[in-house]
Amino acid sequence: MNSNQNQTNYPALYTLITVFFFWGFIAAGNSIFIPFCKSYFELDQFQSQLIDFAFYTAYYIGALLLFAMGNSTGKDIVGTWGYKKSIVYGLLFSALGAGAMIIAVEASIYAGMLVGLFIVALGFSLQQTAANPFAILLGNPKTGADRVNLGGGINSLGTTIGPILVAFALFGSAKAVSEEQIQSLPLDKVVILYLGVGLLFIASAALFYFSKKVPAGLANEPMEKANKALRTLVIMTVLLAACFVPIFKTYQLDTASFSASEMSDLEHYRMLWLSGALVVVLGGILYSYLSAKKNVNGWGAMQYPQLVLGMLAIFVYVGVEVAIGSNLGELLKLKEFGSMQSSDIAPYVSMYWGSLMIGRWAGAISVFHLEGIKKTLALIIIPLLAFGVILGVNIISGKDMQPLYFYVICILVQIAAFFLSKDKPARTLMIFGSFGMLAMLIGLFSSGTMAIYAFLAGGLACSIMWPAIFSLSIIGLGKYTSQGSAFLIMMILGGGIIPPIQGKLSDIIGIHQSYIVAVVCFAYLTLFAILVKGILKKQNIDVDTIEAEGSH
């Protein structure tokens, strides 16, 4: 660590924020891969959503393994290795995943691509566990949130650019490619894309490893043991696997001779098992809390209601954020949404993920401690500037952005929500949760441009939720704060469960109607904001003094 704790180590910080860009670039790029793979490999909507299942389940598995190792040794594994080495290991693991992706793409094996993405995300899980505390270490702890927010802004830039570059790799410069033509497209550019990404992972790892400016970032803090919590999480993982295996087995059946009623029964059977997976997660977390309430020994951070409800909130938040974007490509193929081809959707996906950048850039204004008219102007100008950046990068790449010009109306609504929120996490989450729920309902009960704007506005609603949920969940945990953070990171699992559930629901009731899932998710996030305020009040914690922290 740098000798002068009050002086930010900028060379190390700039090196570090490159990994924030990777997370956003790959995650948002998946939203283009999903409709492409659906056409290329002739998949149903559930099967296409397995891209999210593989990617976000890896985050959960990675965080669970780190927690298990720390629980057995009594030490924070990432801190013991050092944040620097942990990020290097994570980058090399992600490079290995990029290599697996290249092999799978060359062989045109969808399952192999899922394995490749799983390995990439497993590396991301280790990187993310190390990167946030490392950013805080690289200077004055009081300004640590500023550095984390800078990383979040770079992450959001990655989510905006990712869909554009992935679309170019898949479809080239062609204006439109029909779904039939997709099946005959050469995948050599995807190989080049992942070759480039893999080399960037290796180059970043080398930059970290050999840079003398980047400190080791050792943190030998003891890890509070929670054997009962670990056992419950392991049982949950086994039960989740048990729920998905029967679904995967049904895809080995020859359904060509199935009647309409037999196919309907099969789809409902699959949906039943998927619902079971959701019950396993919800039931496992609630069981942990109720058991901890009777006897806190062995449960660690799960004895706190704000954390347990927060784990469900992170699960739901990541789930809805990913599900809206990942199902968007299929929605835009509907006649009432413009009958778009997979090659036409990149600007919309870019705008959806860019909407998260708009909110995060606006949310970062508070770290500059602006007052009065300066703050008012910044809250108006920054979101509009971010909107201009999204339009600009798409126009430069040759996309027609005219249909999205009036989306600025949604951004003005978001700006009003920021003024109403007053930088208070519980109030912010309540307002933006309600905004998201209302947007999804408008999208459900309308079509065309209005519905498209409404669903895209889900990104605006999600944009500032991570730090608000994170802060409200870990406040008051004391010595269990680090462990509570690890449990919250595990709940990124929601991005692997909720999109496939919406995908299968779409196969049964239609893609447009399946967005009822997003309504339910935003309803819970609004409810969490109300409940957690009451819980913290009982613990004599003033929620209005909590500062939002964490980056996703």
Side-chain angles (χ1 to χ4, degrees):
M1 189 171 165
N2 46 329
S3 54
N4 185 356
Q5 200 177 36
N6 291 320
Q7 187 179 344
T8 300
N9 184 339
Y10 286 107
L13 179 63
Y14 297 148
T15 307
L16 176 64
I17 59 176
T18 57
V19 302
F20 283 80
F21 179 85
F22 286 142
W23 306 337
F25 178 89
I26 300 293
N30 287 345
S31 297
I32 300 292
F33 260 119
I34 286 168
F36 171 82
C37 287
K38 182 178 181 183
S39 296
Y40 190 85
F41 293 104
E42 298 180 292
L43 310 172
D44 67 18
Q45 190 63 7
F46 165 76
Q47 286 175 301
S48 72
Q49 296 296 312
L50 291 178
I51 286 175
D52 283 333
F53 172 76
F55 191 78
Y56 290 97
T57 302
Y59 270 94
Y60 169 72
I61 297 295
L64 181 60
L65 287 172
L66 288 171
F67 172 61
M69 290 164 69
N71 196 69
S72 63
T73 61
K75 292 181 180 178
D76 176 8
I77 295 298
V78 171
T80 304
W81 289 345
Y83 297 134
K84 178 178 179 176
K85 277 188 179 176
S86 297
I87 289 171
V88 170
Y89 296 155
L91 284 163
L92 292 176
F93 216 85
S94 293
L96 193 67
M101 271 290 284
I102 289 168
I103 294 168
V105 170
E106 287 277 24
S108 287
I109 301 172
Y110 181 57
M113 291 173 67
L114 297 180
V115 171
L117 278 172
F118 180 88
I119 298 169
V120 168
L122 210 53
F124 282 4
S125 177
L126 181 51
Q127 293 166 41
Q128 185 146 335
T129 304
N132 285 334
F134 199 18
I136 293 167
L137 264 182
L138 296 175
N140 188 337
K142 290 181 181 178
T143 58
D146 299 19
R147 294 185 289 280
V148 172
N149 276 315
L150 176 63
I154 298 298
N155 172 272
S156 295
L157 189 61
T159 64
T160 304
I161 294 171
I164 300 168
L165 290 184
V166 171
F168 180 77
L170 293 172
F171 308 113
S173 58
K175 290 292 179 187
V177 180
S178 71
E179 304 307 309
E180 292 75 25
Q181 288 173 315
I182 283 174
Q183 293 176 29
S184 60
L185 281 176
L187 294 181
D188 53 331
K189 285 185 181 174
V190 180
V191 172
I192 294 167
L193 174 71
Y194 269 89
L195 181 62
V197 166
L199 290 173
L200 281 172
F201 287 146
I202 294 168
S204 296
L207 190 64
F208 262 91
Y209 186 76
F210 292 110
S211 175
K212 292 178 181 177
K213 297 279 187 182
V214 181
L218 295 168
N220 295 314
E221 292 182 14
M223 171 82 75
E224 295 294 332
K225 293 208 171 188
N227 292 324
K228 291 177 182 175
L230 176 61
R231 187 167 63 244
T232 303
L233 286 165
V234 170
I235 292 170
M236 269 174 56
T237 307
V238 172
L239 290 175
L240 280 172
C243 288
F244 276 92
V245 167
I247 302 171
F248 295 152
K249 280 188 174 179
T250 63
Y251 281 97
Q252 295 172 351
L253 299 171
D254 182 8
T255 58
S257 59
F258 277 33
S259 66
S261 63
E262 286 173 325
M263 279 305 300
S264 176
D265 289 343
L266 182 61
E267 294 290 27
H268 283 89
Y269 172 80
R270 290 165 174 166
M271 191 68 211
L272 187 67
W273 279 107
L274 272 172
S275 302
L278 189 62
V279 169
V280 165
V281 176
L282 302 182
I285 294 171
L286 291 175
Y287 164 77
S288 301
Y289 171 63
L290 293 173
S291 300
K293 213 172 179 183
K294 294 175 186 174
N295 181 6
V296 299
N297 292 330
W299 287 105
M302 283 193 183
Q303 65 191 271
Y304 295 93
Q306 64 265 41
L307 178 76
V308 176
L309 292 175
M311 287 171 72
L312 291 178
I314 289 287
F315 178 85
V316 165
Y317 152 71
V318 178
V320 72
E321 176 187 284
V322 175
I324 293 170
S326 295
N327 286 287
L328 194 60
E330 188 63 17
L331 182 79
L332 294 174
K333 291 178 185 176
L334 296 180
K335 187 179 179 182
E336 60 269 33
F337 284 86
S339 302
M340 296 184 203
Q341 306 290 347
S342 295
S343 56
D344 297 328
I345 67 167
Y348 296 88
V349 173
S350 177
M351 184 58 75
Y352 172 73
W353 290 103
S355 294
L356 283 109
M357 181 178 82
I358 292 167
R360 286 170 186 169
W361 281 17
I365 290 169
S366 60
V367 306
F368 297 106
H369 309 294
L370 299 176
E371 297 292 339
I373 190 69
K374 287 182 181 178
K375 185 174 182 180
T376 301
L377 286 172
L379 276 172
I380 296 168
I381 293 167
I382 295 298
L384 296 174
L385 180 66
F387 178 56
V389 169
I390 300 160
L391 290 176
V393 294
N394 276 280
I395 290 167
I396 289 167
S397 69
K399 306 296 181 187
D400 177 18
M401 298 302 285
Q402 274 191 312
L404 289 166
Y405 286 167
F406 288 103
Y407 184 63
V408 71
I409 295 166
C410 299
I411 294 160
L412 293 174
V413 173
Q414 188 202 38
I415 290 169
F418 269 114
F419 280 109
L420 289 170
S421 300
K422 299 178 180 177
D423 288 334
K424 296 174 181 177
R427 186 185 175 105
T428 298
L429 195 56
M430 211 180 303
I431 289 169
F432 278 81
S434 302
F435 173 37
M437 189 164 48
L438 181 63
M440 295 304 105
L441 286 168
I442 291 171
L444 268 176
F445 292 104
S446 62
S447 60
T449 302
M450 179 182 283
I452 292 171
Y453 281 12
F455 288 130
L456 291 179
L460 297 172
C462 287
S463 61
I464 46 70
M465 285 188 171
W466 175 275
I469 298 167
F470 212 94
S471 302
L472 292 165
S473 302
I474 63 171
I475 191 73
L477 266 58
K479 65 180 181 179
Y480 295 108
T481 300
S482 179
Q483 189 184 95
S485 298
F487 287 152
L488 290 172
I489 293 290
M490 283 181 210
M491 288 299 103
I492 289 177
L493 172 68
I497 303 291
I498 291 175
I501 286 176
Q502 185 178 345
K504 183 46 63 190
L505 192 61
S506 160
D507 290 331
I508 297 171
I509 66 171
I511 187 67
H512 190 183
Q513 291 74 20
S514 74
Y515 273 82
I516 187 67
V517 170
V519 177
V520 175
C521 289
F522 280 120
Y524 174 73
L525 291 166
T526 309
L527 178 65
F528 168 72
I530 297 165
L531 293 175
V532 79
K533 193 168 184 178
I535 289 165
L536 294 175
K537 196 173 182 181
K538 285 180 183 176
Q539 296 176 13
N540 296 317
I541 297 169
D542 184 0
V543 292
D544 291 340
T545 62
I546 300 169
E547 287 187 11
E549 51 188 89
S551 177
H552 169 50

